[in-house]
Amino acid sequence: MALKSPHILCIRFSAMGDVAMTIPVLIALTRKYPDLEITVVSKPFFAPLFQSIERVHFYGADVKTKYKGALGLYKLFKDLKPERFTAIADLHSVIRSHVLKSFFRLRGNYTAQIDKGRTEKKALTKSANKDFRPLLTTHERYASVFKKIGYPIQLDGSEILAKQSLSNNVRAMLGNEPQKWLGIAPFAAHDGKKYPLELLDEVLAALSEKPYKIILFGGGKEEERLLNLLASKYDSVCSVAGCFSFSEEIALISHLDAMLAMDSGNGHLAALFGIPTLTIWGVTHPYLGFAPYKQSIENQLLADREMYPAIPTSVYGNKVPQGYENVMHTILPEQVLKRIYALLD
């Protein structure tokens, strides 16, 4: 009887940035192990992220409708055809992934799950006497799961996606002028990670005097409205919020010369293509392990910890202690501009 070819199921639901950070690890795995097949189960929206990685398949699972609850997760287990997998890599480690993983374990599949480092992250985010030191990156934590399964890898920074073709819609909107393209994504899930729009406006005013094409990214009606207002003030600035499909946005990001983002998903998308990515950090900090892939320390603009020593105040930026509402104001537009010019000029 022939041995089953190795085929790993990777479980990672959650936010776009968390899912995007799996990409370099999957590239490294398929490079090192040419007979390895991988299936990623995640939210259907994220399918375009994985379409160009050889031997990586994607299964979109809506766990809020079709696969909701324990019965829904059992249906997902059956629909995934569990007999084809040789191991299960839980890159999420939440109740939902534990339930799904338990079905595979009962069937006899080997499973491993991520160590999120909750204890050390708690020590890094406590308000006083914090253990302020860099922790493992999320990319490294993902890689450690595959090592447990028997597939160790090394991440050297070469694990990036190839530039993608632009659609006619994108080309028509952005034109063909020979300019440097700078992407800016000023929003994040929580206010403690957003750069104030009045400071961003100062940045845009200065950038508009340069021969750049400045492209604003965002999602949702309110972000779309705010970005359109900003873009309307400057000839060289355009907002693509609400204009393109996710696939088209990914392709557009792959053509940028640089990206300015918050501690959020768009910065991770740019880094997947090796785009120089400048991240503005507010109440979070890169020591927690969520910096875009292989970006230099010079590309991390940090709030003033002498003024605000409790930074990072939380892992995800959802906790802003009293008095910490203005941490972003310690990152001056001049600092942002200086680094953008260094990347583009």
Side-chain angles (χ1 to χ4, degrees):
M1 183 176 177
L3 292 174
K4 183 188 295 187
S5 298
H7 192 161
I8 298 174
L9 175 68
C10 300
I11 305 168
R12 179 74 237 201
F13 300 105
S14 194
M16 181 168 64
D18 298 314
V19 175
M21 283 188 280
T22 67
I23 301 294
V25 178
L26 299 180
I27 292 174
L29 283 164
T30 53
R31 281 181 181 175
K32 185 173 180 180
Y33 304 102
D35 61 339
L36 180 63
E37 299 279 335
I38 298 172
T39 291
V40 176
V41 58
S42 189
K43 296 178 182 179
F45 180 78
F46 298 135
L49 288 172
F50 301 91
Q51 62 188 6
S52 64
I53 311 176
E54 187 178 0
R55 286 176 285 111
V56 172
H57 318 285
F58 184 83
Y59 191 93
D62 191 333
V63 292
K64 293 186 177 180
T65 54
K66 182 178 180 180
Y67 298 115
K68 183 178 181 180
L71 289 177
L73 290 171
Y74 183 71
K75 175 176 173 54
L76 174 58
F77 162 72
K78 299 293 287 184
D79 288 349
L80 285 167
K81 297 181 174 59
E83 65 277 1
R84 60 181 171 157
F85 298 114
T86 51
I88 313 301
D90 180 0
L91 305 184
H92 201 170
S93 190
V94 293
I95 292 175
R96 183 179 289 125
S97 66
H98 293 326
V99 172
L100 180 59
K101 187 167 73 255
S102 69
F103 298 136
F104 286 97
R105 190 183 298 114
L106 288 171
R107 190 189 172 278
N109 293 95
Y110 184 78
T111 67
Q113 71 184 48
I114 188 173
D115 176 4
K116 290 185 172 181
R118 288 186 173 93
T119 299
E120 57 207 89
K121 287 177 180 176
K122 184 177 180 180
L124 180 53
T125 56
K126 61 184 181 179
S127 59
N129 301 315
K130 61 171 70 251
D131 185 6
F132 188 69
R133 60 185 174 88
L135 307 182
L136 288 175
T137 70
T138 300
H139 306 94
E140 291 168 332
R141 294 185 188 276
Y142 287 162
S144 69
V145 179
F146 295 99
K147 184 178 180 180
K148 295 175 189 175
I149 293 173
Y151 294 90
I153 55 170
Q154 293 292 325
L155 298 170
D156 61 19
S158 67
E159 303 85 3
I160 59 175
L161 296 172
K163 188 178 293 187
Q164 299 183 6
S165 298
L166 295 177
S167 69
N168 290 334
N169 287 339
V170 175
R171 291 183 183 278
M173 182 170 180
L174 297 180
N176 297 309
E177 293 183 49
Q179 299 169 296
K180 294 287 183 70
W181 284 9
L182 171 65
I184 299 181
F187 296 109
H190 303 289
D191 289 343
K193 301 196 294 185
K194 297 177 184 177
Y195 198 55
L197 290 184
E198 66 270 20
L199 299 184
L200 176 64
D201 196 20
E202 292 183 40
V203 172
L204 291 176
L207 291 174
S208 67
E209 299 177 3
K210 293 280 189 174
Y212 305 150
K213 185 72 173 180
I214 302 158
I215 304 163
L216 305 181
F217 293 86
K221 292 299 182 182
E222 181 60 12
E223 290 185 12
E224 183 178 338
R225 182 186 71 82
L226 292 170
L227 293 179
N228 283 335
L229 282 174
L230 282 171
S232 67
K233 300 172 66 174
Y234 308 104
D235 291 338
S236 60
V237 180
C238 71
S239 170
V240 297
C243 296
F244 304 128
S245 68
F246 185 45
S247 294
E248 288 175 312
E249 279 204 6
I250 292 173
L252 170 54
I253 287 172
S254 78
H255 284 258
L256 297 177
D257 294 286
M259 169 68 94
L260 169 65
M262 309 300 107
D263 174 16
S264 62
N266 281 292
H268 292 290
L269 294 181
L272 294 182
F273 295 96
I275 307 300
T277 302
L278 182 61
T279 304
I280 297 179
W281 300 82
V283 295
T284 54
H285 196 282
Y287 275 12
L288 285 160
F290 297 104
Y293 186 59
K294 295 296 185 181
Q295 295 296 312
S296 68
I297 190 63
E298 291 82 11
N299 284 354
Q300 316 306 317
L301 295 183
L302 308 175
D304 190 336
R305 287 196 69 252
E306 289 190 6
M307 293 179 62
Y308 299 100
I311 292 174
T313 62
S314 63
V315 174
Y316 302 110
N318 56 324
K319 296 179 182 178
V320 181
Q322 185 175 359
Y324 276 64
E325 296 83 2
N326 293 320
V327 295
M328 279 289 195
H329 286 81
T330 66
I331 304 173
L332 302 177
E334 291 79 10
Q335 295 173 262
V336 180
L337 290 164
K338 181 179 179 180
R339 190 61 195 157
I340 290 174
Y341 297 151
L343 295 177
L344 290 180
D345 296 339

